[in-house]
Amino acid sequence: MIAKLEEYFTQQFNSSKRALSGLGPLPLASLIQKKRRSSEDSGEPVPDINHHRHWQKVLEHVCGCQLSTLPSPLPESGTILGGTVTLRGNNLSLACFHGINFRSKSWALFIMDEPNITFATEAQDVTRRDSSGTHIVQNFNFHLGHTVTQERKNRHMATICKVSRGYHMPPPFTSIQDWFNYAFSSSEIKDFDTFPHVKPPDSIAEKKLSKHYSHDTEIIFALPSLQLQLKTEHLQGQQPPTENDPKPEVDVSFVTEFDDHIFVAMDAEVMLFLHDLVTSYVKEKDKVDARLSQGMKGGKSPDSERKKITDPTTELSKDWREFQCKTWHMEPTVRLLSWAGRQIEPIGADNILKRLGFSHARSTIPKWMQRGAMDPLDQLLSVLMKSLICAMKEDGKKQEKGEEKKNM
């Protein structure tokens, strides 16, 4: 389903580009197209922007700028720009079926209760004795359990479960609500049978959602309420670094707090099931990416296209930054989900991470959170800020023209 949706939106995007091209060449699009053609002719790949310098051009627009909402112009230096992104919900659930369609015998449920994500960034041009550049401070906070008034003691706020339907095939479903009810009927999600809210609550179709399915549910992982705080400080020079320059350092502070233990199932079968499920989804995604890339760039040999297909993790690893973890606090304990789990001494998570191969978790976890979540959010806020400043400048020019016409 995801592959079909992705293919549909890709086709719509390409058709929209063809329709807009009839209006005339766009300056930015033509420039990018020329760069791509020159790189393809020379056989060299287009250089990736891996320095993550998002705020330099925005700060240039602000220096000495006169905005209509301010009585005086902004200073030439020292202005702080930034923004905040907040994502909050009551429940975030994902069902991944282990098979070719929704009628598979087993599937996995990934459930988080009361997730809350807050990202804030600040950028400022600074001048120091030894160097000058742009100083950027980013804060990423993730919480499970944001409803303070509700009692959350001895309650799992996030679970990964294996669900098995038994030997009977599921009945034919005619609505999205029926599928939600079938996939999540064994979970304890509030109001899951009324999501999505498409029809009135008093409709007949809504009343049919109370059907109970006798699914077998096994908990693989269970997490308590937790708080995660990641802070990074970047000092970027006036010019992007070259290959001969030392990598810019990023100071990292990573602190986590768990209200209880992390519970893990003792059954090796469910662990193998989760491993096979994730592996099958990754392999299927790679196949879809290969088919889409070959379909979008027709006329070239499949062998040459396969060489250009890169793994997303490889693209993320091309980062010209050095991460230095100054503060590290991650000390959750792990208990086993069994009748004797409370009687066994809890195990430290650091020992488990080392046995799983995460010998450098102190640098690996903050690094991938920075690259996968914080960098895209920082770029989004910088683009929005630049658009806002340009719009305010245009309003100021229009007001000046209007005042000149009145004086004339």
Side-chain angles (χ1 to χ4, degrees), residues 4-73:
K4 291 181 179 179
L5 288 173
E6 187 175 359
E7 184 178 1
Y8 169 77
F9 285 113
T10 303
Q11 292 176 355
Q12 294 296 320
F13 177 72
N14 292 333
S15 62
S16 300
K17 285 174 62 178
R18 287 193 296 269
L20 290 174
S21 63
L23 301 177
L26 299 176
L28 181 60
S30 60
L31 181 60
I32 296 174
Q33 192 71 14
K34 288 180 181 178
K35 289 184 178 179
R36 289 181 176 175
R37 287 177 180 175
S38 61
S39 62
E40 290 176 359
D41 295 338
S42 61
E44 298 177 356
V46 179
D48 296 328
I49 302 174
N50 295 324
H51 301 298
H52 304 284
R53 299 169 62 88
H54 304 145
W55 291 96
Q56 280 72 17
K57 293 184 179 180
V58 187
L59 289 169
E60 289 178 3
H61 280 275
V62 172
C63 293
C65 176
Q66 175 63 60
L67 301 178
S68 59
T69 56
L70 299 177
S72 59

Side-chain angles (χ1 to χ4, degrees), residues 167-228:
Y167 296 100
H168 298 285
M169 293 293 292
F173 297 131
T174 58
S175 65
I176 300 177
Q177 288 90 345
D178 292 340
W179 277 112
F180 271 96
N181 185 41
Y182 171 75
F184 296 99
S185 62
S186 59
S187 61
E188 298 179 355
I189 304 174
K190 294 182 179 180
D191 301 328
F192 79 93
D193 53 348
T194 61
F195 180 83
H197 299 279
V198 179
K199 298 180 181 180
D202 298 332
S203 62
I204 299 175
E206 198 79 21
K207 296 180 181 179
K208 293 181 180 179
L209 296 176
S210 59
K211 185 176 180 179
H212 177 72
Y213 297 93
S214 56
H215 297 325
D216 295 330
T217 305
E218 300 176 75
I219 298 179
I220 305 176
F221 290 99
L223 276 71
S225 57
L226 60 92
Q227 298 83 36
L228 183 151

Side-chain angles (χ1 to χ4, degrees), residues 108 110 160 220-221 270-279:
F110 301 85
I160 301 177
I220 305 176
F221 290 99
V270 295
M271 292 292 185
L272 293 175
F273 162 80
L274 184 62
H275 179 269
D276 293 340
L277 177 70
V278 175
T279 304

Side-chain angles (χ1 to χ4, degrees), residues 93-110:
S93 301
L94 174 66
C96 296
F97 285 79
H98 191 17
I100 59 175
N101 53 34
F102 292 154
R103 298 186 180 275
S104 302
K105 185 179 179 180
S106 57
W107 60 92
L109 294 182
F110 301 85

